[in-house]
Amino acid sequence: MDKFRMIFQFFQSNQESFMNGICGIMALASTQMYSAFDFNCPCLPHYNLAYGLGILLVPPLILFLLGFVLNNNISMLAEEWRRPQGQRGKDPAVLRYMFCSMAQRAMIAPAVWVSVTLLDGKCITCAFCTWVPVESLGNASHPRLSQGEIQRILAQIPCKEIYSGQQLIANEVVVRYLRCISQALGWCFVLLMTTLAFLVRSLRPCFSQAAFLKSRYWSHYIDIERKLFDETCAEHARSFAKVCIQQFFESMSTDLVAAHCHLPRKAPVDAGEDTEKLLGITDQGTMNMALKSWHRCKPPLHLHPRALPTGNGWAGQGQAPPHPSTPRRETAAYYSCV
């Protein structure tokens, strides 16, 4: 139990760890889905190819889109891409980094599905059973069979219970032949994905490490800024609602006192603190204008230092006090006792 708790805390440590955990869970779910899936080939010449390739390619596409949907950064990426320029420029490198990061994580579950499907071999056997070379694997000189009848018999190979072409070609031979090809393709696909992941992880820092670090930093900054903005809005909404409720009950108590109903009144302890959290935004129109301003023209990423107070007031606009024009001269006197 402690190990599961540690793993859960690791996944919650940051956004990347959380998304890596989600992608790992989706990869395991894809294997479980395939093992629980009841594969039924139609065993018809015009439907085997569509069914086999559909099972091979359509679920990975669904899992890929689902990986984007479960990624919390997809809305942040869309918002950053569609927002107006405002006072802060949009860096295309950061947007590319965010998209590539989401795409890499979303590709894990589809890659697992394709690998498991190819290594199992049922989809390839169903899709390409009519393409086997009968001349080299079976009895091509079987009499009284047209090309259409041969295709119909070969399409029944995945359905062993209805296959009736043992004299033309053995069912076990075709299944073993196509499964070997499918497994070879599966291992090649796994090797290709592993090689690409290795190259991306190992060679990328050798060419653009500085640009990669900058893109990664500002991507994390956008994520953290969005979370802090949401927390600040939630805190402001809580304080705004609390002050509104307090003013409502104070007005109600005032009306009751005016109606000669003397009730004990107790001043709220944290009313001043809640008022300070409002930051001067005390009506709906001002809050809506602040939210629109945040979306349209976000503040530039430049922090201004605070002005330093002096005896005569503030020394300029955040500038340090000027140095004296003439340097101080120090003299030393030596005495000797004779």
Side-chain angles (χ1 to χ4, degrees):
M1 193 64 184
D2 295 336
K3 293 182 179 180
F4 287 105
R5 187 181 297 109
M6 292 175 60
I7 294 174
F8 186 71
Q9 291 177 356
F10 172 75
F11 286 157
Q12 285 187 328
S13 59
N14 53 54
Q15 183 69 14
E16 287 191 358
S17 300
F18 177 75
M19 292 313 305
N20 290 335
I22 292 295
C23 294
I25 294 174
M26 287 185 59
L28 294 176
S30 65
T31 57
Q32 294 296 323
M33 287 170 58
Y34 184 79
S35 61
F37 177 70
D38 188 11
F39 187 87
N40 292 314
C41 186
C43 296
L44 295 174
H46 302 291
Y47 297 96
N48 283 10
L49 181 63
Y51 182 81
L53 294 183
I55 297 301
L56 180 65
L57 301 177
V58 173
L61 178 61
I62 297 175
L63 292 172
F64 181 74
L65 297 178
L66 186 61
F68 271 101
V69 171
L70 294 179
N71 199 317
N72 295 329
N73 293 336
I74 185 65
S75 59
M76 182 178 65
L77 174 63
E79 179 183 351
E80 183 69 15
W81 178 50
R82 294 294 301 171
R83 72 172 177 85
Q85 189 76 11
Q87 299 181 7
R88 182 190 302 179
K90 293 184 288 187
D91 192 354
V94 177
L95 299 178
R96 286 195 302 268
Y97 170 80
M98 295 169 62
F99 178 79
C100 293
S101 179
M102 288 186 293
Q104 290 174 7
R105 292 184 175 90
M107 282 293 295
I108 296 177
V112 172
W113 177 276
V114 174
S115 302
V116 173
T117 305
L118 290 177
L119 292 176
D120 185 55
K122 293 180 182 178
C123 290
I124 298 299
T125 302
C126 179
F128 299 100
C129 60
T130 58
W131 292 25
V132 294
V134 182
E135 296 81 4
S136 58
L137 296 178
N139 185 12
S141 61
H142 194 275
R144 298 184 303 277
L145 287 179
S146 63
Q147 189 65 27
E149 291 177 346
I150 293 177
Q151 293 294 318
R152 182 180 59 81
I153 292 175
L154 293 178
Q156 298 175 358
I157 289 176
C159 306
K160 187 181 296 185
E161 62 277 2
I162 64 173
Y163 181 65
S164 61
Q166 291 291 341
Q167 297 179 357
L168 177 65
I169 187 172
N171 177 277
E172 294 79 5
V173 174
V174 179
V175 171
R176 187 181 296 271
Y177 174 77
L178 293 176
R179 183 168 293 179
C180 290
I181 296 177
S182 179
Q183 290 178 352
L185 293 175
W187 285 116
C188 291
F189 180 78
V190 172
L191 179 61
L192 178 63
M193 291 293 103
T194 306
T195 305
L196 289 178
F198 171 76
L199 292 177
V200 169
R201 288 289 186 177
S202 59
L203 297 182
R204 181 173 57 183
C206 300
F207 295 98
S208 58
Q209 180 66 8
F212 171 73
L213 290 176
K214 290 190 293 184
S215 301
R216 184 175 182 179
Y217 175 85
W218 291 116
S219 174
H220 291 335
Y221 174 83
I222 293 174
D223 184 26
I224 295 173
E225 183 186 52
R226 185 186 183 187
K227 290 180 180 178
L228 290 177
F229 184 78
D230 292 341
E231 292 176 1
T232 305
C233 289
E235 184 179 0
H236 183 277
R238 180 180 178 85
S239 301
F240 190 84
K242 194 171 184 179
V243 172
C244 285
I245 293 173
Q246 289 175 353
Q247 290 181 356
F248 170 75
F249 280 100
E250 288 177 358
S251 62
M252 288 296 297
S253 62
T254 304
D255 295 339
L256 291 175
V257 169
H260 307 288
C261 296
H262 299 283
L263 297 176
R265 297 182 60 186
K266 183 178 180 181
V269 179
D270 52 350
E273 182 180 356
D274 291 328
T275 306
E276 291 178 358
K277 291 181 181 179
L278 294 177
L279 300 176
I281 303 177
T282 57
D283 61 284
Q284 184 179 4
T286 308
M287 189 64 201
N288 292 337
M289 185 174 61
L291 294 175
K292 292 180 181 178
S293 177
W294 174 262
H295 173 70
R296 292 177 179 175
C297 50
K298 290 187 178 181
L301 299 177
H302 177 70
L303 302 179
H304 300 282
R306 295 182 178 180
L308 299 177
T310 59
N312 296 327
W314 294 94
Q317 299 294 329
Q319 299 179 356
H323 296 284
S325 57
T326 58
R328 296 177 58 187
R329 301 180 61 184
E330 297 180 357
T331 57
Y334 298 91
Y335 298 93
S336 62
C337 298
V338 180

